[in-house]
């Protein structure tokens, strides 16, 4: 089973994978002077996916980083069942772990955030 697809293309299975769901409150949300919370939630369940891969080839590293280059893309992701959302890439890192005889080993991490 594919865990993560970007614009219909399956990415390698990540070594670490975390889905976080957040709420979005309106700008008039806050506390009164006496500390009472006034909350106006305008949207719930906004997904943020943190995924990382270890021991990737240069080709797989490039495939992941190229997939998250556009301003936005469709992500199908596993969270008990497959879900789909329009997302953008937050932080992206690629760490070169080893390089010998023209071969490289990379660690890659990406945050994907729902619009």
């Amino acid at each position: 089973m594919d865990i993560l697809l970007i614009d219909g293309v399956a990415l390698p299975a990540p070594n670490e994978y975390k889905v976080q769901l957040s709420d979005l409150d309106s700008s008039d949300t806050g506390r009164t002077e006496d500390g009472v919370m006034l909350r106006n939630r305008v949207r719930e369940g906004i997904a943020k996916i943190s995924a990382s891969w270890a021991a990737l080839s240069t080709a797989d590293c490039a495939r992941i980083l190229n997939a998250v280059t556009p301003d936005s893309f469709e992500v199908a992701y596993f969270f008990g069942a497959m879900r789909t959302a329009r997302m953008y890439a937050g932080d992206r890192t690629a760490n070169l772990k080893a390089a010998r005889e023209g071969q490289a080993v990379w660690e890659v991490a990406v945050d994907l955030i729902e619009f």
Side-chain angles (χ1 to χ4, degrees), residues 2-87:
D2 293 320
I3 294 175
L4 196 55
L5 295 94
I6 295 183
D7 285 335
V9 177
L11 298 183
N15 293 79
E16 292 187 31
Y17 179 82
K18 179 174 116 178
V19 178
Q20 175 182 329
L21 300 178
S22 301
D23 293 341
L24 180 64
D25 295 334
S26 72
S27 61
D28 62 342
T29 294
R31 296 200 179 270
T32 62
E33 288 184 18
D34 60 351
V36 175
M37 181 66 173
L38 301 175
R39 185 173 190 208
N40 184 16
R41 182 172 64 182
V42 294
R43 198 165 150 215
E44 57 91 19
I46 300 168
K48 176 182 176 184
I49 300 167
S50 298
S52 61
W53 296 262
L56 289 176
S57 67
T58 299
D60 281 341
C61 174
R63 186 168 66 146
I64 292 167
L65 294 177
N66 288 335
V68 299
T69 297
D71 289 342
S72 71
F73 36 83
E74 184 175 281
V75 177
Y77 63 99
F78 181 75
F79 190 60
M82 290 305 287
R83 296 182 178 194
T84 304
R86 196 88 190 143
M87 296 188 160

XYZ file of all heavy atoms in Angstrom, residues 2-87:
653
model
N 0.533 2.203 -0.833
C 1.248 3.481 -0.861
C 0.734 4.355 0.273
O -0.473 4.480 0.491
C 1.019 4.184 -2.199
C 1.649 3.428 -3.354
O 2.770 2.909 -3.179
O 1.024 3.355 -4.429
N 1.643 4.969 0.991
C 1.287 5.824 2.128
C 1.135 7.271 1.690
O 0.327 8.004 2.239
C 2.360 5.703 3.229
C 2.340 4.301 3.802
C 2.155 6.733 4.322
C 3.426 4.036 4.805
N 1.902 7.686 0.683
C 1.965 9.089 0.302
C 2.109 9.214 -1.211
O 3.047 8.674 -1.790
C 3.168 9.719 1.009
C 3.305 11.207 1.114
C 2.077 11.852 1.754
C 4.537 11.560 1.930
N 1.149 9.916 -1.835
C 1.199 10.178 -3.270
C 1.074 11.680 -3.490
O 0.256 12.334 -2.841
C 0.057 9.479 -4.006
C 0.060 7.960 -4.007
C -0.787 7.439 -2.878
C -0.468 7.470 -5.323
N 1.881 12.208 -4.391
C 1.803 13.622 -4.736
C 1.457 13.715 -6.217
O 2.175 13.166 -7.060
C 3.104 14.369 -4.412
C 3.311 14.348 -2.899
C 3.054 15.800 -4.953
C 4.505 15.100 -2.408
N 0.342 14.389 -6.491
C -0.190 14.495 -7.854
C -0.246 13.122 -8.534
O 0.104 12.972 -9.697
C 0.611 15.500 -8.690
C 0.288 16.941 -8.312
O -0.823 17.184 -7.792
O 1.136 17.819 -8.538
N -0.671 12.119 -7.772
C -0.863 10.782 -8.308
C 0.371 9.915 -8.380
O 0.292 8.748 -8.751
N 1.528 10.451 -8.023
C 2.782 9.699 -8.089
C 3.166 9.227 -6.684
O 3.297 10.041 -5.766
C 3.914 10.562 -8.687
C 5.233 9.803 -8.681
C 3.553 11.019 -10.096
N 3.333 7.912 -6.537
C 3.688 7.350 -5.235
C 5.133 7.689 -4.887
O 6.034 7.536 -5.712
C 3.491 5.844 -5.246
N 5.323 8.142 -3.652
C 6.673 8.379 -3.139
C 7.139 7.120 -2.420
O 6.317 6.295 -2.007
C 6.670 9.559 -2.176
C 6.264 10.912 -2.753
C 6.393 11.992 -1.686
C 7.098 11.274 -3.965
N 8.450 6.966 -2.232
C 8.923 5.827 -1.443
C 8.292 5.879 -0.044
O 7.953 6.953 0.454
C 10.437 6.056 -1.358
C 10.771 6.982 -2.473
C 9.551 7.816 -2.705
N 8.138 4.723 0.577
C 7.576 4.684 1.930
C 8.512 5.412 2.889
O 9.712 5.115 2.926
C 7.374 3.248 2.378
N 7.995 6.372 3.647
C 8.857 7.096 4.584
C 9.240 6.232 5.783
O 8.507 5.322 6.158
C 7.998 8.291 5.018
C 6.605 7.942 4.668
C 6.640 6.896 3.619
N 10.393 6.552 6.378
C 10.815 5.882 7.607
C 10.060 6.431 8.812
O 9.806 5.698 9.766
C 12.316 6.070 7.830
C 13.117 5.357 6.787
O 13.263 5.848 5.675
N 13.615 4.183 7.115
N 9.746 7.717 8.762
C 8.948 8.350 9.815
C 7.835 9.125 9.135
O 8.034 9.740 8.088
C 9.802 9.287 10.672
C 10.823 8.549 11.504
C 11.556 9.462 12.475
O 10.947 10.454 12.942
O 12.720 9.180 12.756
N 6.653 9.098 9.787
C 5.462 9.673 9.168
C 4.521 10.095 10.277
O 4.161 9.287 11.135
C 4.822 8.591 8.287
C 3.558 8.964 7.582
C 3.586 9.678 6.390
C 2.327 8.567 8.074
C 2.425 9.995 5.714
C 1.157 8.875 7.403
C 1.210 9.585 6.231
O 0.058 9.891 5.564
N 4.172 11.374 10.295
C 3.292 11.896 11.346
C 2.252 12.796 10.710
O 2.590 13.683 9.927
C 4.117 12.681 12.364
C 3.310 13.301 13.488
C 4.239 13.928 14.500
C 4.027 15.409 14.565
N 4.859 16.084 15.549
N 0.983 12.572 11.059
C -0.111 13.423 10.606
C -0.627 14.187 11.811
O -0.981 13.587 12.829
C -1.254 12.610 9.962
C -2.397 13.526 9.553
C -0.744 11.816 8.767
N -0.662 15.496 11.687
C -1.169 16.371 12.750
C -2.390 17.103 12.208
O -2.356 17.623 11.091
C -0.084 17.372 13.136
C -0.503 18.418 14.134
C 0.633 19.394 14.404
O 1.801 19.054 14.345
N 0.270 20.623 14.690
N -3.478 17.133 12.976
C -4.679 17.854 12.573
C -4.836 19.076 13.460
O -4.733 18.978 14.680
C -5.912 16.957 12.686
C -5.888 15.696 11.820
C -7.140 14.878 12.063
C -5.754 16.034 10.351
N -5.092 20.236 12.848
C -5.202 21.493 13.578
C -6.506 22.195 13.223
O -7.115 21.920 12.199
C -4.035 22.424 13.231
O -2.809 21.824 13.549
N -6.902 23.114 14.085
C -8.067 23.957 13.838
C -7.600 25.361 13.471
O -6.518 25.794 13.872
C -8.957 24.040 15.077
C -9.599 22.705 15.414
O -9.659 21.833 14.531
O -10.045 22.538 16.555
N -8.452 26.071 12.745
C -8.174 27.456 12.374
C -9.254 28.328 13.005
O -10.444 28.102 12.789
C -8.185 27.607 10.858
C -7.917 29.002 10.306
C -6.507 29.454 10.668
C -8.092 29.014 8.807
N -8.818 29.288 13.798
C -9.739 30.211 14.454
C -9.735 31.549 13.735
O -8.733 31.944 13.133
C -9.334 30.429 15.913
C -9.462 29.168 16.757
O -10.279 28.300 16.399
O -8.744 29.052 17.765
N -10.850 32.269 13.831
C -10.935 33.589 13.206
C -10.084 34.589 13.985
O -9.653 34.327 15.115
C -12.389 34.060 13.153
O -12.825 34.408 14.445
N -9.882 35.743 13.398
C -9.042 36.764 14.029
C -9.685 37.359 15.277
O -8.994 37.976 16.085
C -8.721 37.874 13.024
O -9.911 38.491 12.578
N -10.998 37.179 15.464
C -11.634 37.711 16.670
C -11.620 36.716 17.828
O -12.221 36.957 18.866
C -13.062 38.199 16.381
C -13.985 37.103 15.900
O -13.482 36.062 15.471
O -15.212 37.302 15.957
N -10.911 35.610 17.683
C -10.746 34.647 18.769
C -9.696 35.179 19.735
O -8.682 35.726 19.333
C -10.310 33.284 18.205
O -11.372 32.757 17.426
C -9.966 32.307 19.307
N -9.952 35.009 21.015
C -8.995 35.437 22.033
C -9.638 35.464 23.401
O -10.767 35.017 23.588
N -8.931 35.990 24.353
C -9.418 36.061 25.726
C -9.855 37.485 26.061
O -9.249 38.454 25.621
C -8.340 35.605 26.699
C -7.982 34.141 26.514
C -7.297 33.569 27.736
N -7.005 32.166 27.531
C -7.830 31.172 27.839
N -8.998 31.439 28.375
N -7.481 29.916 27.622
N -10.894 37.563 26.854
C -11.347 38.854 27.352
C -10.403 39.295 28.465
O -9.536 38.534 28.901
C -12.782 38.749 27.890
O -12.790 37.826 28.989
C -13.747 38.291 26.809
N -10.587 40.515 28.953
C -9.728 41.026 30.022
C -9.821 40.195 31.291
O -8.863 40.138 32.062
C -10.068 42.488 30.312
C -9.605 43.413 29.217
C -9.858 44.872 29.552
O -10.078 45.203 30.731
O -9.832 45.683 28.616
N -10.969 39.550 31.511
C -11.096 38.727 32.709
C -10.738 37.262 32.452
O -10.980 36.393 33.283
C -12.492 38.845 33.322
C -13.604 38.414 32.386
O -13.335 38.180 31.202
O -14.751 38.313 32.856
N -10.127 36.955 31.297
C -9.574 35.639 31.024
C -10.513 34.631 30.394
O -10.150 33.470 30.230
N -11.722 35.047 30.041
C -12.671 34.126 29.416
C -12.308 33.972 27.928
O -12.099 34.956 27.226
C -14.124 34.641 29.570
C -15.096 33.745 28.814
C -14.499 34.731 31.041
N -12.229 32.719 27.493
C -11.873 32.446 26.101
C -13.104 32.586 25.214
O -14.141 31.999 25.483
C -11.309 31.025 25.983
C -10.888 30.664 24.589
S -9.493 31.673 24.088
C -9.070 30.947 22.551
N -12.976 33.382 24.158
C -14.006 33.513 23.136
C -13.422 32.928 21.857
O -12.480 33.482 21.295
C -14.396 34.972 22.928
C -14.944 35.699 24.158
C -15.172 37.170 23.845
C -16.225 35.043 24.638
N -13.968 31.794 21.458
C -13.395 31.090 20.316
C -14.387 31.048 19.164
O -15.549 30.711 19.347
C -13.028 29.665 20.704
C -12.328 28.932 19.583
C -11.825 27.581 20.016
N -10.964 27.043 18.968
C -10.790 25.764 18.751
N -11.395 24.880 19.505
N -10.007 25.361 17.778
N -13.878 31.368 17.979
C -14.669 31.269 16.767
C -13.884 30.426 15.770
O -13.094 30.938 14.981
C -14.977 32.655 16.195
C -15.874 32.589 14.986
O -16.519 31.579 14.726
N -15.901 33.665 14.218
N -14.085 29.111 15.858
C -13.385 28.198 14.953
C -14.044 28.270 13.584
O -15.243 28.094 13.451
C -13.441 26.768 15.490
C -12.682 25.801 14.610
C -12.572 24.435 15.222
N -13.893 23.831 15.354
C -14.117 22.649 15.891
N -13.131 21.961 16.399
N -15.337 22.168 15.953
N -13.224 28.531 12.552
C -13.765 28.641 11.201
C -13.487 27.393 10.364
O -14.140 27.175 9.349
C -13.244 29.908 10.473
C -13.756 31.158 11.154
C -11.733 29.917 10.378
N -12.526 26.575 10.799
C -12.201 25.352 10.075
C -11.512 24.380 11.008
O -10.708 24.793 11.842
C -11.287 25.705 8.903
C -11.238 24.645 7.857
C -10.614 25.189 6.569
N -9.954 24.101 5.891
C -8.844 24.215 5.199
N -8.263 25.370 5.056
N -8.318 23.173 4.622
N -11.852 23.101 10.885
C -11.223 22.099 11.748
C -10.583 21.002 10.906
O -10.941 20.801 9.755
C -12.244 21.496 12.716
C -13.448 20.860 12.062
C -13.266 19.384 11.776
O -12.387 18.748 12.368
O -13.980 18.878 10.913
N -9.609 20.335 11.510
C -8.995 19.185 10.867
C -8.064 19.489 9.718
O -7.954 18.707 8.777
N -7.349 20.604 9.782
C -6.369 20.943 8.744
C -5.135 20.063 8.958
O -4.545 20.057 10.029
C -5.998 22.432 8.803
C -7.244 23.286 8.599
C -4.913 22.758 7.781
C -7.046 24.738 8.922
N -4.752 19.332 7.927
C -3.679 18.344 8.058
C -2.304 18.942 7.818
O -2.116 19.783 6.936
C -3.909 17.193 7.081
N -1.363 18.482 8.624
C 0.062 18.728 8.397
C 0.750 17.373 8.493
O 0.585 16.660 9.484
C 0.648 19.677 9.434
C 2.154 19.868 9.284
C 2.716 20.771 10.359
C 4.220 20.874 10.251
N 4.776 21.680 11.352
N 1.485 17.025 7.456
C 2.189 15.748 7.412
C 3.680 16.022 7.515
O 4.224 16.815 6.746
C 1.891 14.997 6.102
C 0.396 14.733 5.977
C 2.693 13.710 6.026
C -0.018 14.275 4.589
N 4.327 15.367 8.461
C 5.784 15.412 8.572
C 6.292 14.032 8.188
O 5.963 13.041 8.849
C 6.209 15.764 10.000
O 5.746 17.045 10.353
N 7.060 13.975 7.118
C 7.581 12.694 6.631
C 9.084 12.793 6.457
O 9.607 13.853 6.098
C 6.924 12.320 5.301
N 9.763 11.678 6.733
C 11.210 11.661 6.512
C 11.628 10.297 5.993
O 10.986 9.283 6.260
C 11.972 12.020 7.793
O 11.704 11.089 8.813
N 12.690 10.328 5.231
C 13.238 9.139 4.596
C 14.716 9.051 4.927
O 15.421 10.053 4.920
C 13.094 9.215 3.084
C 11.691 9.240 2.580
C 10.977 8.185 2.107
C 10.824 10.380 2.475
N 9.728 8.592 1.715
C 9.603 9.944 1.936
C 10.954 11.737 2.799
C 8.528 10.782 1.704
C 9.885 12.582 2.573
C 8.685 12.104 2.027
N 15.196 7.847 5.173
C 16.621 7.626 5.432
C 17.185 6.756 4.320
O 16.454 5.968 3.706
C 16.815 6.944 6.780
N 18.431 6.906 4.056
C 19.158 6.056 3.110
C 18.560 6.079 1.708
O 18.318 5.039 1.097
C 19.253 4.621 3.630
N 18.315 7.273 1.186
C 17.796 7.425 -0.174
C 18.930 7.596 -1.173
O 19.957 8.215 -0.865
C 16.898 8.659 -0.277
C 15.542 8.623 0.390
C 14.869 9.977 0.240
C 14.679 7.534 -0.198
N 18.698 7.107 -2.370
C 19.622 7.381 -3.474
C 19.447 8.842 -3.905
O 18.454 9.490 -3.561
C 19.324 6.455 -4.655
O 18.047 6.784 -5.198
N 20.378 9.327 -4.690
C 20.260 10.682 -5.225
C 19.013 10.814 -6.079
O 18.310 11.826 -6.026
C 21.521 11.052 -6.033
O 22.654 11.011 -5.149
C 21.417 12.431 -6.636
N 18.684 9.785 -6.853
C 17.491 9.824 -7.705
C 16.215 9.920 -6.868
O 15.320 10.703 -7.189
C 17.449 8.601 -8.608
N 16.106 9.128 -5.801
C 14.909 9.194 -4.952
C 14.840 10.505 -4.182
O 13.768 11.069 -3.996
C 14.860 8.009 -3.987
C 14.362 6.744 -4.649
O 13.722 6.829 -5.718
O 14.592 5.653 -4.081
N 15.978 11.012 -3.752
C 16.027 12.319 -3.089
C 15.484 13.385 -4.030
O 14.618 14.184 -3.653
C 17.464 12.625 -2.675
S 17.718 14.276 -1.991
N 15.968 13.393 -5.256
C 15.513 14.376 -6.244
C 14.036 14.191 -6.563
O 13.303 15.175 -6.719
C 16.349 14.265 -7.517
N 13.564 12.951 -6.643
C 12.158 12.690 -6.949
C 11.236 13.285 -5.877
O 10.234 13.914 -6.188
C 11.920 11.184 -7.061
C 10.524 10.834 -7.529
C 10.415 9.388 -7.891
N 10.584 8.545 -6.721
C 9.954 7.408 -6.540
N 9.134 6.937 -7.456
N 10.144 6.698 -5.463
N 11.603 13.132 -4.616
C 10.790 13.688 -3.535
C 10.835 15.210 -3.558
O 9.804 15.878 -3.510
C 11.265 13.137 -2.172
C 10.951 11.645 -2.079
C 10.616 13.906 -1.023
C 11.646 10.939 -0.936
N 12.029 15.776 -3.645
C 12.153 17.237 -3.621
C 11.509 17.881 -4.846
O 10.899 18.948 -4.736
C 13.618 17.641 -3.486
C 14.274 17.242 -2.154
C 15.750 17.616 -2.161
C 13.555 17.858 -0.964
N 11.603 17.260 -6.000
C 10.940 17.795 -7.197
C 9.424 17.711 -7.086
O 8.719 18.589 -7.581
C 11.424 17.070 -8.448
C 12.842 17.436 -8.823
O 13.331 18.503 -8.485
N 13.521 16.532 -9.510
N 8.912 16.678 -6.436
C 7.466 16.519 -6.291
C 6.852 17.631 -5.455
O 5.700 18.012 -5.667
C 7.148 15.159 -5.675
N 7.626 18.175 -4.504
C 7.087 19.201 -3.604
C 7.523 20.615 -3.989
O 7.342 21.557 -3.228
C 7.448 18.909 -2.125
C 6.856 17.576 -1.703
C 8.949 18.938 -1.893
N 8.070 20.781 -5.189
C 8.520 22.090 -5.659
C 7.385 23.043 -6.038
O 7.472 24.239 -5.748
C 9.491 21.921 -6.839
O 10.638 21.208 -6.374
C 9.924 23.249 -7.405
N 6.291 22.577 -6.676
C 5.234 23.518 -7.072
C 4.621 24.254 -5.877
O 4.739 23.810 -4.725
C 4.185 22.622 -7.740
C 4.919 21.392 -8.138
C 5.998 21.212 -7.115
N 3.938 25.375 -6.174
C 3.269 26.151 -5.123
C 2.224 25.336 -4.381
O 2.003 25.540 -3.187
C 2.591 27.391 -5.712
C 3.590 28.434 -6.162
O 4.759 28.369 -5.738
O 3.197 29.317 -6.933
N 1.541 24.444 -5.094
C 0.563 23.565 -4.467
C 0.452 22.285 -5.280
O 0.836 22.250 -6.451
C -0.805 24.245 -4.367
O -1.411 24.361 -5.628
N -0.052 21.245 -4.638
C -0.182 19.943 -5.276
C -1.209 19.127 -4.502
O -1.530 19.433 -3.350
C 1.164 19.207 -5.336
C 2.031 19.432 -4.137
C 1.857 18.702 -2.972
C 3.017 20.412 -4.148
C 2.649 18.923 -1.859
C 3.819 20.648 -3.041
C 3.630 19.897 -1.887
N -1.729 18.098 -5.162
C -2.689 17.222 -4.508
C -1.939 16.092 -3.821
O -1.093 15.434 -4.424
C -3.672 16.637 -5.521
C -4.745 15.788 -4.863
C -5.775 15.313 -5.854
O -6.649 16.124 -6.205
O -5.676 14.151 -6.284
N -2.269 15.871 -2.554
C -1.620 14.823 -1.768
C -2.668 13.805 -1.345
O -3.689 14.172 -0.765
C -0.916 15.413 -0.524
C -0.303 14.306 0.322
C 0.142 16.425 -0.929
N -2.413 12.557 -1.650
C -3.195 11.451 -1.102
C -2.325 10.851 -0.009
O -1.154 10.524 -0.245
C -3.525 10.432 -2.175
N -2.882 10.746 1.193
C -2.089 10.284 2.323
C -2.902 9.318 3.187
O -4.129 9.359 3.211
C -1.583 11.456 3.154
C -2.663 12.289 3.806
C -3.006 12.093 5.144
C -3.339 13.279 3.095
C -3.994 12.863 5.741
C -4.317 14.049 3.686
C -4.636 13.834 5.012
O -5.619 14.586 5.609
N -2.189 8.452 3.886
C -2.831 7.468 4.735
C -2.999 8.027 6.140
O -2.049 8.505 6.749
C -1.997 6.180 4.781
C -2.625 5.119 5.627
C -3.724 4.407 5.161
C -2.135 4.831 6.881
C -4.317 3.429 5.940
C -2.717 3.855 7.663
C -3.816 3.158 7.192
N -4.233 7.946 6.632
C -4.524 8.315 8.010
C -5.730 7.479 8.445
O -6.850 7.954 8.536
C -4.810 9.819 8.114
C -4.890 10.323 9.536
C -3.808 10.202 10.392
C -6.044 10.920 10.009
C -3.880 10.667 11.696
C -6.119 11.392 11.302
C -5.038 11.268 12.149
N -5.488 6.192 8.605
C -6.547 5.236 8.883
C -7.210 4.743 7.612
O -7.570 3.590 7.481
N -7.355 5.618 6.668
C -7.821 5.358 5.304
C -7.129 6.404 4.445
O -6.499 7.324 4.961
C -9.340 5.497 5.224
N -7.228 6.254 3.153
C -6.606 7.253 2.279
C -7.456 8.521 2.277
O -8.687 8.452 2.181
C -6.447 6.724 0.860
C -5.395 5.634 0.739
S -3.750 6.071 1.363
C -3.176 7.198 0.105
N -6.809 9.658 2.425
C -7.443 10.979 2.354
C -6.734 11.779 1.276
O -5.577 11.510 0.955
C -7.320 11.719 3.685
C -8.036 11.068 4.830
C -7.890 11.918 6.066
N -8.598 11.347 7.190
C -8.846 12.012 8.306
N -8.439 13.264 8.440
N -9.490 11.428 9.293
N -7.409 12.778 0.774
C -6.829 13.640 -0.249
C -6.995 15.089 0.165
O -8.045 15.476 0.678
C -7.523 13.407 -1.608
O -7.417 12.029 -1.930
C -6.865 14.219 -2.700
N -5.950 15.891 -0.064
C -6.004 17.315 0.268
C -5.075 18.092 -0.646
O -4.077 17.561 -1.146
C -5.598 17.539 1.725
N -5.403 19.365 -0.868
C -4.519 20.294 -1.581
C -3.525 20.803 -0.556
O -3.913 21.286 0.518
C -5.351 21.437 -2.167
C -4.604 22.197 -3.205
C -4.836 21.532 -4.549
N -3.949 22.077 -5.540
C -3.406 21.336 -6.492
N -3.674 20.078 -6.599
N -2.610 21.875 -7.368
N -2.230 20.705 -0.856
C -1.194 21.059 0.120
C -0.073 21.849 -0.532
O -0.001 21.968 -1.752
C -0.624 19.798 0.771
C -1.622 19.011 1.580
S -0.802 17.690 2.485
C -2.013 17.362 3.729
